[in-house]
Amino acid sequence: MEGAKGSETVLSELESAIETVVENYNKYSAKENLLRKGGIKKSNFKRMLQSELSHMLTETMKEEAVEKLFQEMDQDGDSLIDFDEYWALIGKIVKLLARNQQ
Amino acid sequence: MEGAKGSETVLSELESAIETVVENYNKYSAKENLLRKGGIKKSNFKRMLQSELSHMLTETMKEEAVEKLFQEMDQDGDSLIDFDEYWALIGKIVKLLARNQQ
């Protein structure tokens, strides 16, 4: 696409935030695998929760949340979390936190 | 919960980003309505796309995306976009952008 690069665009707060969430997916996503399907391994996702969401999630919630979310995900039997699932998981964690704050 | 407030916690990048996306929902969400259901009016969501995602979405994509996304949402016939729908919509926009960048 023309004109899409090289410009020093100042992103809005929301845009920067979205970019950060996407970059975080890329950071934990498996880059090399034979089928080039990509996605985050469940073990990496757990590591991500520990490292990147340590202030948001208490220890108890972390374990509880991970357990619950992974159970819900297990239906597709896939060991890799794709972008859709990743995005949905973050959304669920946010709702979980909101409920706990009320 | 004890010890959860008053601390000057420095959030991780991902946590700050998530907070920003949530704050953006609150910013555009209808605060007063009789049923206290809350959510973003479709007209406000359009305004949000214009104001907050102006760099990410080109004019064409904006119209195209909004049209498509709203059609998909129309199934519940609800005029307010709740947090689940909001989160899912942002996720869809991100995927749409990713596809266009490839």
Side-chain angles (χ1 to χ4, degrees):
Chain A
M1 268 168 277
E2 303 101 26
K5 58 178 178 180
S7 53
E8 279 197 42
T9 326
V10 180
L11 296 181
S12 76
E13 268 192 68
L14 181 63
E15 288 169 323
S16 303
I18 292 171
E19 238 183 38
T20 301
V21 186
V22 174
E23 276 162 14
N24 187 74
Y25 172 78
N26 292 332
K27 181 174 165 189
Y28 285 91
S29 182
K31 261 109 210 151
E32 317 136 77
N33 72 77
L34 288 172
L35 297 171
R36 280 194 61 75
K37 199 183 160 254
I40 303 178
K41 284 182 195 163
K42 287 189 184 176
S43 52
N44 277 351
F45 190 79
K46 282 190 191 179
R47 197 158 59 78
M48 189 202 92
L49 292 184
Q50 305 280 343
S51 312
E52 314 288 346
L53 296 177
S54 56
H55 306 103
M56 278 193 168
L57 299 175
T58 64
E59 283 309 315
T60 329
M61 278 182 66
K62 231 176 280 178
E63 281 172 39
E64 208 179 285
V66 173
E67 202 55 50
K68 238 188 189 160
L69 296 174
F70 279 3
Q71 272 173 13
E72 286 175 18
M73 271 188 338
D74 262 353
Q75 41 193 336
D76 64 4
D78 199 349
S79 56
L80 287 176
I81 297 164
D82 65 16
F83 184 77
D84 285 342
E85 287 174 315
Y86 164 77
W87 191 267
L89 280 168
I90 304 269
K92 278 178 188 174
I93 290 171
V94 172
K95 286 202 74 178
L96 216 121
L97 291 171
R99 213 170 296 143
N100 274 276
Q101 275 166 5
Q102 272 166 10
Chain B
M1 272 168 273
E2 301 102 25
K5 57 177 177 178
S7 53
E8 279 197 41
T9 327
V10 180
L11 296 180
S12 76
E13 267 193 69
L14 180 62
E15 289 170 323
S16 303
I18 292 172
E19 240 184 35
T20 302
V21 185
V22 173
E23 275 162 15
N24 187 74
Y25 172 77
N26 291 332
K27 181 174 165 189
Y28 285 91
S29 181
K31 261 108 211 152
E32 317 134 79
N33 70 78
L34 288 173
L35 297 172
R36 281 192 62 72
K37 201 184 158 255
I40 303 177
K41 283 181 196 163
K42 288 190 183 174
S43 51
N44 277 351
F45 191 80
K46 280 190 190 177
R47 198 158 57 81
M48 190 203 91
L49 292 183
Q50 305 280 342
S51 311
E52 316 287 346
L53 296 176
S54 56
H55 306 103
M56 280 193 166
L57 301 176
T58 64
E59 283 309 315
T60 329
M61 280 183 64
K62 229 176 282 178
E63 279 171 41
E64 209 178 285
V66 172
E67 201 55 51
K68 239 188 187 160
L69 296 173
F70 279 2
Q71 271 173 12
E72 284 175 20
M73 272 188 337
D74 262 353
Q75 40 194 336
D76 64 4
D78 199 350
S79 56
L80 287 177
I81 297 164
D82 65 16
F83 184 78
D84 286 342
E85 288 174 314
Y86 165 77
W87 191 266
L89 281 168
I90 304 270
K92 279 178 187 173
I93 290 171
V94 172
K95 287 202 72 177
L96 216 122
L97 291 172
R99 213 170 297 144
N100 274 276
Q101 274 165 5
Q102 272 166 9

